[in-house]
Amino acid sequence: LLPVKRSALFVVAGWDHPTTILLLSLLRILHCRYIIWTDTPYVDRPRSLLKGWLRKKWLAWILRGSFRILATGTVGVKAVVSMGAPINRSYSFPFWLDLDLYQHSRRLATTDHKLRFVSSGRLICNLKGHDLSLRSLSAAMSSYSGQWEYQIAGAGQDRGSLEALAVKLGIHNHVN
């Protein structure tokens, strides 16, 4: 594994894909700081007895080790808390950003640090919303004078349209 700075903070969306399960397990074992961002989870989805028990124990372990849990709305917060998330680290986090209320820190813009945004997933916009991320970052970072980049890890049918959108938005030099 690559060395990770102690100040690193990982944001992981969901926990139901094998690669996400592996990533979260590694982050927990290596004592890395991570945030889980999820919509409202299915708490009572039918599963076999053994699979249901293993999933419940693993999720409680992962949620207890997280730096924060961001869920959609009060219902989402209640669901993750019922699954083992500490209530004092569980927050309602909407899927939108009010740009009028968002102000960039001048202190960040004057440091040598590059802001890095990373997402992963299949490059299928109607499922994963990478196009929304490009549009949001374009709007949010338009007045930011510091260095930043957005790295997308994934493959899929919308790669070309995402590259074209980055060019259209004028952020292609920040997107890998």
Side-chain angles (χ1 to χ4, degrees), residues 33-87:
R33 292 185 324 149
Y34 59 92
I35 293 174
I36 298 174
W37 181 19
T38 184
D39 53 7
T40 303
Y42 298 109
V43 177
D44 297 322
R45 178 190 253 168
R47 292 181 173 83
S48 70
L49 190 60
L50 179 60
K51 185 176 179 179
W53 182 82
L54 288 171
R55 180 182 183 274
K56 181 180 178 179
K57 294 296 184 187
W58 178 82
L59 265 175
W61 178 68
I62 291 298
L63 292 169
R64 280 192 317 270
S66 66
F67 181 69
R68 299 282 187 272
I69 301 100
L70 308 176
T72 307
T74 305
V75 173
V77 171
K78 285 181 182 178
V80 296
V81 168
S82 76
M83 299 167 93
I87 194 165

Side-chain angles (χ1 to χ4, degrees), residues 63-110:
L63 292 169
R64 280 192 317 270
S66 66
F67 181 69
R68 299 282 187 272
I69 301 100
L70 308 176
T72 307
T74 305
V75 173
V77 171
K78 285 181 182 178
V80 296
V81 168
S82 76
M83 299 167 93
I87 194 165
N88 64 329
R89 287 186 259 150
S90 302
Y91 297 88
S92 175
F93 191 78
F95 284 109
W96 55 271
L97 176 64
D98 185 345
L99 293 176
D100 292 333
L101 296 176
Y102 186 79
Q103 304 236 346
H104 297 289
S105 168
R106 294 193 191 281
R107 183 179 51 81
L108 279 176
T110 59

Side-chain angles (χ1 to χ4, degrees), residues 2-14:
L2 296 174
V4 176
K5 291 182 180 180
R6 298 293 277 160
S7 62
L9 177 63
F10 297 86
V11 180
V12 181

Side-chain angles (χ1 to χ4, degrees), residues 106-114 144 146-147:
R106 294 193 191 281
R107 183 179 51 81
L108 279 176
T110 59
T111 67
D112 291 333
H113 299 288
K114 180 186 283 191
Y144 182 69
Q147 296 180 41

